[in-house]
Amino acid sequence: MPRTMASGIYAIAHIGHLKLYAGDASKIQVTWPLLLAQLNSGTYPNAALQEVWNQQGDKRRFTFHTKPNIIGDTEIVGIEQLVDDA
């Protein structure tokens, strides 16, 4: 019987800039490759993240995190000002 992919919350962290771009996905296990494809093609729906991605070029420093990663990180939990919902 095929396993159903779980939905969940994710965040893209812009390392060194104290910004998290948070979202949700219906198939969290396949989300990161799809997001990378959108960012690389310039079609990501969050204009602020797309602009930063384009400006960074080869010097990009982003990481992808799911809810269990975020909950377990005491440096992230409870720091609401890090979330950029633009």
Side-chain angles (χ1 to χ4, degrees), residues 17-66:
H17 295 276
L18 296 177
K19 291 212 178 201
L20 287 177
Y21 301 90
D24 66 310
S26 60
K27 296 180 180 177
I28 197 75
Q29 293 176 335
V30 296
T31 297
W32 185 232
L34 297 175
L35 293 178
L36 279 176
Q38 286 181 318
L39 287 164
N40 287 327
S41 69
T43 61
Y44 191 74
N46 182 306
L49 177 55
Q50 185 67 65
E51 182 177 346
V52 171
W53 184 268
N54 294 342
Q55 289 172 352
Q56 295 288 308
D58 291 338
K59 297 179 184 186
R60 290 184 195 118
R61 295 187 62 211
F62 291 87
T63 55
F64 179 79
H65 306 273
T66 58

